Amino acid sequence: MIPIRSVLLLLTLVCTCAGSVAPAAPLKIDRTRSFVDVDVKATVDSFTGRLDRYQAVLELDGTGKIKSSRLDFRFADLKTGKTDRDAQMMEWLGGGDPSG
C-alpha cells in the first residue's frame, strides 16, 4: 500500500531525473497496474479503501518539473471491501454521485 504522497513524490523524481524526456511529453499512467489506497482512521473503525478508477493530471513546467497535480475521482469508485460500508459511505455523503 503506497500513500498518494509517495506516488506524487515518485512521479516528481521520475520527471526531474528523466533528462532525455522532453518537458512537453505526456506522463502516461498504466491503468492496469495503478491504484490509490485510502487509509481511514475513525473512532469506531479503521480501514483501507481502494480507488482503481481516477483521473490524474500532472502539469510540467519548461524544465520537466511538476508544476501542479490534480486527482479526480467518484466516491462510488472507492471500494472498502465491505459492500454495506460502501453503501453507508454514499449515504453519509448525501447520496447522488459525489466526487472528490
Side-chain angles (χ1 to χ4, degrees):
M1 174 169 54
I2 301 173
I4 189 67
R5 183 181 304 148
S6 297
V7 171
L8 291 176
L9 181 60
L10 178 62
L11 290 173
T12 303
L13 180 63
V14 167
C15 289
T16 50
C17 291
S20 61
V21 176
L27 179 64
K28 297 207 178 209
I29 296 174
D30 183 350
R31 298 252 180 231
T32 62
R33 298 184 329 185
S34 301
F35 59 87
V36 176
D37 276 349
V38 179
D39 291 328
V40 178
K41 307 235 184 289
T43 307
V44 226
D45 193 9
S46 296
F47 57 91
T48 300
R50 175 154 292 186
L51 184 63
D52 56 9
R53 285 186 177 191
Y54 57 88
Q55 178 70 33
V57 177
L58 301 171
E59 183 181 348
L60 307 178
D61 67 10
T63 66
K65 292 182 182 176
I66 295 177
K67 183 173 156 182
S68 66
S69 62
R70 181 179 173 104
L71 180 74
D72 296 313
F73 65 96
R74 293 176 49 234
F75 278 95
D77 293 331
L78 182 62
K79 304 300 178 192
T80 66
K82 291 185 177 178
T83 308
D84 291 342
R85 179 170 45 208
D86 294 346
Q88 285 179 337
M89 179 177 63
M90 296 305 291
E91 281 183 39
W92 297 329
L93 293 169
D97 191 21
S99 60

